[in-house]
Amino acid sequence: MSLVVVGSMAFDALETPFGKTDKIVGGAATYISLSSSYFVKPVNVVSVVGGDFDQDHIALMHQRNISTEGVQVKENEKSFFWSGRYFNDMNSRETLVTELNVLGDFDPIIPEAYQGCEYLMLGNLAPQVQKTVIERLTKRPKLIVMDTMNFWMDIALAELKETMAMIDVLSINDEEARQLSGEYSLVKAAKAIMAMGPKFLIIKKGEHGALLFNEDKVFFAPALPLEEVFDPTGAGDTFAGGFVGYLASNGDISFESMKRAVIYGSAMASFCVEKFGTERLKDLTKEEIENRVQQFVNLVQFDTVLQ
């Protein structure tokens, strides 16, 4: 099942209570494609980088059957760069530096080999760029999943709503859901957001798990209690990669299948936070992934006799 991933490939510099890094490879498309590559092959990426981007990372992507034919390289420009500091609770962070660089005027090009894809994952980008990608596909995919953030709700709400009307699944966090809907109750927020277009809504709650909504149905997936969280950067994108990768691997986009996909996405995200950047996502085994999924199942599985 063919999957196209659109998003940033970037450099991050991170500081957490566990340490700090110099520039390391990051970006939504990086995390999403690495995560989804454990479920579906090939993963086709649409992105843009500068001439400074790490070629070793491109080689790693190729080793994982990730196609970079849709990645534009602007030799005389710099890649997107973000620097941030996480506080002790690891849920709140401070942005220190944001340099859009090549991402500032990104015009996505869809290679002919990517046309006809059945699954499209739109990583966090300007809503107009996400909309352009959908419009440039000659055939509408079977499933379009989209991620966004409060920044676009602040500065491009009209464009965001236009794009949301074209997708199937929206993935945002609880704070963003409340901002977008104007509702504090997440159940009310979900109804308001799904009325804007998405048939399914995922609301991520960080260390408190994730909610999946569809019509009047709700599913809750817990987060795995981890002894140590080194770096939450990219966890949401890794979740999205596991989610859409699982769906693309079996071709089933029913609510029941999405419930399982949320668990697989959560399992992948739990690996991501165990080391800095993409380090933990480079060489997972199938056994590790299945064991981690089983841990999630064990968290919520119980027997009871109703009186």
Side-chain angles (χ1 to χ4, degrees), residues 6-27:
V6 186
S8 59
M9 292 171 60
F11 287 119
D12 294 333
L14 311 167
E15 185 176 338
T16 81
F18 294 98
K20 60 191 298 186
T21 71
D22 294 322
K23 278 188 177 181
I24 58 174
V25 170

Side-chain angles (χ1 to χ4, degrees), residues 7 45 66 83 110 116 180 185 200-202 211 223 240 263 269 290 303:
V45 177
I66 299 168
S83 174
I110 315 297
L180 183 58
S185 158
F200 301 87
L201 174 66
I202 296 167
L211 290 155
I263 296 296
E290 292 301 329
D303 294 317

Side-chain angles (χ1 to χ4, degrees), residues 82-136:
W82 178 82
S83 174
R85 177 190 299 128
Y86 287 89
F87 299 105
N88 285 338
D89 66 357
M90 297 296 273
N91 283 323
S92 50
R93 71 184 186 189
E94 174 188 12
T95 293
L96 302 176
V97 180
T98 301
E99 296 173 2
L100 287 177
N101 298 327
V102 292
L103 210 58
D105 57 357
F106 177 38
D107 183 27
I109 296 171
I110 315 297
E112 186 60 37
Y114 290 13
Q115 293 290 356
C117 69
E118 293 186 78
Y119 296 84
L120 173 63
M121 178 67 226
L122 298 167
N124 176 36
L125 287 169
Q128 187 55 50
V129 174
Q130 295 173 317
K131 182 170 180 261
T132 298
V133 171
I134 298 171
E135 292 172 338
R136 288 181 177 173

Side-chain angles (χ1 to χ4, degrees), residues 154-175:
D154 291 337
I155 71 163
L157 184 59
E159 292 92 335
L160 176 60
K161 287 185 175 179
E162 278 183 30
T163 308
M164 282 173 53
M166 305 169 73
I167 66 163
D168 302 300
V169 185
L170 179 67
S171 177
I172 51 179
N173 67 30
D174 49 354
E175 179 188 348

Side-chain angles (χ1 to χ4, degrees), residues 286-304:
K286 185 177 180 181
E287 185 179 25
E288 280 182 299
I289 294 170
E290 292 301 329
N291 286 343
R292 185 62 57 91
V293 168
Q294 187 59 49
Q295 286 181 262
F296 275 88
V297 173
N298 294 343
L299 272 180
V300 295
Q301 200 170 45
F302 61 92
D303 294 317
T304 187

Side-chain angles (χ1 to χ4, degrees), residues 235-301:
D237 294 315
T238 304
F239 170 92
F243 174 83
V244 74
Y246 175 81
L247 292 175
S249 71
N250 65 20
D252 181 357
I253 57 172
S254 67
F255 185 72
E256 289 301 312
S257 181
M258 286 198 189
K259 286 160 64 172
R260 292 188 291 273
V262 167
I263 296 296
Y264 274 89
S266 300
M268 296 304 293
S270 74
F271 286 119
C272 176
V273 302
E274 290 180 337
K275 289 189 178 180
F276 278 111
T278 61
E279 195 62 34
R280 192 71 176 93
L281 299 177
K282 291 179 179 178
D283 53 6
L284 292 169
T285 65
K286 185 177 180 181
E287 185 179 25
E288 280 182 299
I289 294 170
E290 292 301 329
N291 286 343
R292 185 62 57 91
V293 168
Q294 187 59 49
Q295 286 181 262
F296 275 88
V297 173
N298 294 343
L299 272 180
V300 295
Q301 200 170 45

